[in-house]
Amino acid sequence: MIFSQAKKQSAKTPLELNSPEVCTWCPGCGDLAIWAAFKQAAVENNWNNTNTALVAGIGCHGHIVNFLKLTSFEGLHGRALPVAAGIKMANHELKVFVFTGDGDCLAEGGNHFIHAARRNQDLTVILHDNAVYSLTTGQTSPRSPKGYISKSTPQGNVEEPLHPLRLAFTAGATFLARAYAGNIPALVKLMKQAEAHRGFAVIQVLQPCVTFNHVYTHQFYQENVYELPASYDPTDKKEAWEKLDEWGLKQIPVGLIYQAVAPTYEGQLPQLAKQPLVKTAPKKQDVSSLYKFYR
Ligand SMILES: Cc1ncc(C[n+]2csc(CCOP(=O)(O)OP(=O)(O)O)c2C)c(N)n1
Ligand code: SF4
Ligand SMILES: [Mg+2]
C-alpha cells in the first residue's frame, strides 16, 4: 500500500472502477447495489487510488474491495476498523472507507466499533447489514431477529438483536444514517454526505442476502422502510434518539438520522497538526549507548 508512489488514476465512469476479478456475489444480492452506489459516488467525487483507501472485513461484504480498482486492504474478520484507524493516523489526508458486515462489525469487531465511535475517528463505515453470517453459509448473527431459524439456531434465536446505530449513538458517533440497498441514488447521496462529514460516520445498509436470509428480503424492506421527511432535523439529538428507536412493520426509517459537530480524534492530536505522519521524516537518534548498556 504505497499511496505516495502510486500513479493517480481517476475514473470517469463507474465501469472503469471494476477490477479484473470476476464478481462472485449471488444474483440479487444487496452487495451488488452497494458496489454500484460506491462506484457512482467515487466517480462523482473523484475518490481515486491516491486520495482514498478502502478497508474491508471478512465475509461476502469484504469481496467488495476485490471488485474495485482502488487502493485497499482486506483485514482479518472483525478487524477492519483498527486497520482503518491505523491508516487514518498514518495519513489523515486520505479518505478512509470501511466495508464491514453485521458479523464482522458487531460480533467479532464489536469492541472496535464502540471505541472508534467513542473517539469520533474520521472514518466512513458502510455496514452491510444482512442480519446473517453469509460467507459461512447462513448462521444467526447479532442482527438476526429473535426467533430467527438458521442452522446455528434450528429451534429459533433466543437473543434480542443489536441495533448498531443506537449503539454508535450512545458511544459517541457523529453521523448516523440508514439506507436500503435497493435504492441506489439514495445510497450514493448518503455515501457522499458521510464522507464529507468530519468524524465517525456510519451508514447501516439494509442489504438483503437473497440466499440465506428469507426474513429480511427485498420485498420485506420495500414494504417496511420509509424515507425521513424533509422536515426531519437530524441535528435534534432528542428526535434522533426517538427515530433510532423505531424498527418495525411499516416503521423502518431510512435517510440521515443524526449528525453532530464534534472534534475528531485525529484533529486533536498535536503530532498531526502540521502534516500527516507519512510526510514526517523519522527522527534519527543514536541508540548505540543502549546497546552497550544491555550487552
Ligand atoms: C477470527 C475469525 N472468526 C471466524 C471466522 C469465520 N468467518 C468468516 S466470515 C464469517 C461471518 C461473516 O459474516 P458477516 O460479517 O455478517 O459478513 P457477510 O458474509 O454476511 O457479508 C465468519 C464467522 C474467521 N474468518 N475469522
Ligand atoms: S450468500 Fe448472501 S450475502 Fe453472500 S453473495 Fe450470496 S446473497 Fe450476497
Ligand atoms: Mg452478514
Side-chain angles (χ1 to χ4, degrees):
M1 256 201 312
I2 306 171
F3 300 99
S4 53
Q5 291 173 9
K7 193 166 166 270
K8 183 162 133 187
Q9 293 175 342
S10 293
K12 291 193 178 59
T13 65
L15 265 184
E16 287 174 41
L17 284 172
N18 284 354
S19 77
E21 295 293 320
V22 176
C23 180
T24 50
W25 286 319
C26 311
C29 174
D31 285 335
L32 288 155
I34 298 174
W35 184 39
F38 186 78
K39 285 187 287 182
Q40 184 61 37
V43 167
E44 288 178 21
N45 275 14
N46 189 29
W47 298 336
N48 60 56
N49 60 327
T50 58
N51 66 12
T52 299
L54 316 179
V55 184
I58 302 293
C60 289
H61 65 274
H63 296 332
I64 195 164
V65 296
N66 302 325
F67 306 150
L68 285 166
K69 215 162 52 178
L70 285 170
T71 310
S72 62
F73 187 94
E74 192 165 1
L76 293 173
H77 182 57
R79 311 292 176 225
L81 271 168
V83 173
I87 292 172
K88 191 76 187 180
M89 291 278 281
N91 187 355
H92 61 270
E93 287 176 351
L94 288 174
K95 303 162 197 305
V96 182
F97 292 88
V98 180
F99 298 92
T100 179
D102 48 307
D104 190 74
C105 183
L106 304 172
E108 196 92 16
N111 172 25
H112 302 303
F113 185 61
I114 292 169
H115 292 287
R118 177 175 69 83
R119 295 178 184 129
N120 197 30
Q121 287 178 316
D122 190 19
L123 303 170
T124 302
V125 177
I126 315 285
L127 173 49
H128 300 226
D129 180 6
N130 53 19
V132 72
Y133 292 143
S134 288
L135 188 70
T136 43
T137 69
Q139 297 82 5
T140 292
S141 90
R143 282 292 301 139
S144 309
K146 192 163 187 182
Y148 186 74
I149 292 176
S150 77
K151 58 188 77 167
S152 64
T153 54
Q155 292 172 318
N157 180 22
V158 295
E159 297 174 21
E160 288 291 343
L162 205 98
H163 286 269
L165 298 183
R166 284 201 309 217
L167 180 66
F169 179 94
T170 50
T174 48
F175 182 105
L176 299 169
R178 186 183 289 128
Y180 159 53
N183 187 346
I184 295 176
L187 191 49
V188 172
K189 188 174 166 209
L190 283 176
M191 284 174 173
K192 293 196 309 190
Q193 282 178 292
E195 192 286 314
H197 174 77
R198 295 284 64 88
F200 195 69
V202 184
I203 307 176
Q204 177 191 14
V205 187
L206 308 173
Q207 175 249 311
C209 167
V210 295
T211 301
F212 294 114
N213 193 328
H214 303 297
V215 175
Y216 290 150
T217 59
H218 280 287
Q219 189 183 346
F220 174 86
Y221 286 128
Q222 280 161 15
E223 287 171 0
N224 292 299
V225 300
Y226 75 92
E227 294 280 342
L228 287 169
S231 58
Y232 176 77
D233 177 9
T235 64
D236 182 331
K237 202 167 181 179
K238 198 163 165 279
E239 205 180 340
W241 178 250
E242 280 163 22
K243 274 292 156 220
L244 290 173
D245 218 23
E246 274 185 29
W247 182 278
L249 296 179
K250 310 270 178 220
Q251 221 198 338
I252 303 174
V254 288
L256 175 54
I257 302 177
Y258 177 62
Q259 186 166 24
V261 178
T264 65
Y265 184 74
E266 300 78 16
Q268 296 178 85
L269 294 179
Q271 299 89 333
L272 307 184
K274 270 201 200 133
Q275 58 182 2
L277 284 184
V278 282
K279 292 186 181 163
T280 309
K283 223 193 255 171
K284 286 196 178 130
Q285 267 185 315
D286 183 5
V287 290
S288 53
S289 58
L290 272 181
Y291 281 117
K292 277 185 202 143
F293 181 79
Y294 285 108
R295 206 169 39 194

